[in-house]
Amino acid sequence: MFDVEKIRADFPILARQVNGRPLVYLDNGASAQKPQAVIDAITHAYSQEYANVHRGLHYLSNLATEKYEAVRGTIARFLGVADEHQIVLNTGTTAGINMVAYGWAMPRMQAGDEIILSVMEHHANIVPWHFLRERQGVVLKWVDVDARGHLDPQKVIDAITPRTKLIAVTHLSNVLGTKVDVKAICDGAHEKGVPVLIDGSQAAVHMAVDLDEMGCDFYAITGHKLYGPSGSGAIFVRKDRMTEMRPFMGGGDMIREVSKDQVIYNDPPMKFEAGTPGIVQTIGLGVALDYMMGVGMDAIAAHEDDLRDYAQARLAGLNWISVQGTTPDKAAIFSFTMEGAAHAHDISTILDKKGVAVRAGHHCAGPLMDHLGLTATCRASFAMYNTRAEVDALVDALELAHELFA
Ligand code: PLP
């Protein structure tokens, strides 16, 4: 039974005040707060179980290695992946997508080859592909969303030509909340022999994900949005793509042997994990994912759907607010502008005075902002610990902002 008050009690920061008001934290799309279990795990790892991993033969190194390596299995379970060797541990989505761009895409793409992107990608799933455009003459092809913010999978498939080498799309828009039918994209793309990379940074937070069923080639997640530490994350790389991929970064842990004349790499996935990793961050991520699975992904999704419906109804009552992204099954992410007034930054400053934390700006989604004809929006993004009362607090604060700016 999902009990939001019980969950809130697990997140100590939610009990604090900001500007003399109870904190209403609605900036979860940027980064989520951490449960006590994660905070305790970090403290415990540093105070009782810390050493470098993989290399040592002493007790603490073996213990830290065991704890760290166990997270690979936790992530595999969380993502519905049977073979955990397809999980590369890293520092987050940006690291994962850059690894694929440098290690897999660059060596196999030439001038005139094409990468298909949706217009609602985050810069982390745009800029690495611009590197290939700048350096190798790869062509970026953009697929628009409709007026509701829906991405038609067929439009993505129809954009494929014989020069298409990759499709890179988000599973859930960080601005619009749109969920994308990535299974349909994977099925259609694979029929035409085109690999698919999915940016799962937002989706994995809000819904159950089953990658073995989805069949994508690459799926990136980032720990700090999953109630885990910043500097943790992973990317799923399907076995055949792992064999094709070259290492992006070189250094310790990704090698078996190094001499003056040659280097022999470790087996994947370690071949792609150079240097001392975020040991404690990764251990914390494992605890965060266990926490989420303990609550239940379907229960989290159901609670957030309720918040979405309630927020949608309340915001619809403010006829001076314009919300971007209106697909019916969207996530509880609301990007909006206020009629006749105020830059998004000014609105967010007023909300902050009321203890309500939202994001304001372009949300690292330049092409989408161009598509919408906007330079900035305010974004309220909800998490499993938010409540209907917090939706009300947001609406009250918006009414105040409107009074001030009208
Ligand atoms: N992709 C999406 C959809 C995001 O929302 C974010 C974070 O804002 C990222 C990628 C980048 O994640 P990170 O900065 O943790 O690498």
Side-chain angles (χ1 to χ4, degrees):
M1 169 72 185
F2 186 92
D3 179 350
V4 72
E5 290 308 326
K6 192 162 164 285
I7 285 168
R8 288 181 71 77
D10 288 337
F11 289 79
I13 205 168
L14 299 180
R16 69 159 289 171
Q17 299 212 329
V18 166
N19 290 325
R21 305 280 179 144
L23 169 65
V24 176
Y25 187 77
L26 302 179
D27 194 18
N28 298 285
S31 206
Q33 300 298 348
K34 319 304 169 198
Q36 190 64 49
V38 169
I39 298 165
D40 288 346
I42 292 169
T43 308
H44 183 73
Y46 276 128
S47 58
Q48 297 297 324
E49 298 183 341
Y50 184 77
N52 209 335
V53 290
H54 298 139
R55 282 164 256 182
L57 287 175
H58 58 84
Y59 176 82
L60 278 183
S61 177
N62 288 336
L63 185 59
T65 303
E66 211 175 282
K67 293 278 169 99
Y68 172 80
E69 277 298 327
V71 179
R72 210 182 289 282
T74 308
I75 295 171
R77 239 180 325 119
F78 179 73
L79 293 176
V81 173
D83 179 359
E84 68 178 59
H85 294 101
Q86 300 176 106
I87 304 294
V88 177
L89 301 171
N90 61 24
T91 57
T93 292
T94 303
I97 297 179
N98 276 276
M99 181 193 77
V100 175
Y102 280 93
W104 183 85
M106 266 185 194
R108 56 185 11 82
M109 293 198 197
Q110 280 142 27
D113 285 343
E114 296 165 357
I115 300 175
I116 296 173
L117 304 167
S118 93
V119 78
M120 63 182 168
E121 298 312 312
H122 186 281
H123 294 168
N125 195 25
I126 297 176
V127 182
W129 312 122
H130 270 304
F131 292 164
L132 274 81
R133 181 191 59 73
E134 288 174 344
R135 297 171 197 185
Q136 297 176 225
V138 168
V139 176
L140 306 187
K141 288 181 74 175
W142 298 91
V143 180
D144 274 347
V145 293
D146 70 14
R148 296 167 303 156
H150 172 69
L151 178 67
D152 181 352
Q154 194 54 48
K155 277 180 77 175
V156 178
I157 304 307
D158 290 346
I160 294 174
T161 75
R163 298 301 304 263
T164 305
K165 292 288 188 294
L166 180 71
I167 294 170
V169 287
T170 190
H171 195 176
L172 200 162
S173 162
N174 64 312
V175 179
L176 305 175
T178 304
K179 291 176 188 159
V180 176
D181 186 352
V182 285
K183 168 92 174 103
I185 292 175
C186 290
D187 289 348
H190 289 160
E191 261 177 40
K192 298 188 177 191
V194 177
V196 183
L197 176 143
I198 312 284
D199 177 351
S201 308
Q202 298 285 340
V205 185
H206 302 294
M207 59 210 245
V209 171
D210 186 337
L211 298 191
D212 283 348
E213 205 244 323
M214 187 193 297
C216 63
D217 299 78
F218 308 96
Y219 194 96
I221 58 168
T222 197
H224 65 98
K225 296 185 203 287
L226 291 158
Y227 308 98
S230 56
S232 66
I235 185 162
F236 161 82
V237 180
R238 221 178 55 198
K239 220 167 196 159
D240 49 345
R241 301 297 168 209
M242 247 191 210
T243 323
E244 294 169 354
M245 192 161 68
R246 291 188 193 165
F248 162 42
M249 289 207 286
D253 270 11
M254 52 80 76
I255 55 92
R256 181 163 299 143
E257 264 178 58
V258 182
S259 69
K260 284 183 180 158
D261 303 321
Q262 67 162 355
V263 46
I264 300 172
Y265 299 121
N266 222 326
D267 291 333
M270 285 188 67
K271 181 179 176 181
F272 306 106
E273 298 173 356
T276 300
I279 300 164
V280 176
Q281 292 92 322
T282 302
I283 290 169
L285 173 59
V287 174
L289 298 184
D290 277 335
Y291 182 89
M292 291 180 81
M293 289 187 277
V295 175
M297 290 310 296
D298 290 341
I300 292 172
H303 173 68
E304 292 182 1
D305 282 355
D306 176 70
L307 287 176
R308 173 201 60 207
D309 293 346
Y310 186 68
Q312 241 160 4
R314 293 277 352 242
L315 291 172
L318 312 178
N319 58 11
W320 30 268
I321 287 280
S322 175
V323 175
Q324 304 296 329
T326 53
T327 52
D329 67 337
K330 68 179 267 175
I333 297 176
F334 297 92
S335 289
F336 55 86
T337 48
M338 193 182 280
E339 188 182 279
H343 190 275
H345 289 120
D346 298 327
I347 300 166
S348 73
T349 304
I350 302 292
L351 299 191
D352 186 49
K353 294 272 179 285
K354 293 287 177 190
V356 180
V358 298
R359 195 115 190 128
H362 54 56
H363 314 296
C364 294
L368 179 62
M369 288 292 143
D370 291 345
H371 174 83
L372 298 172
L374 297 169
T375 52
T377 67
C378 275
R379 180 186 68 185
S381 49
F382 291 79
M384 68 163 112
Y385 41 63
N386 290 124
T387 63
R388 284 184 171 213
E390 291 182 309
V391 175
D392 293 337
L394 168 69
V395 169
D396 289 350
L398 283 171
E399 276 169 340
L400 174 73
H402 184 237
E403 269 169 37
L404 287 173
F405 292 123

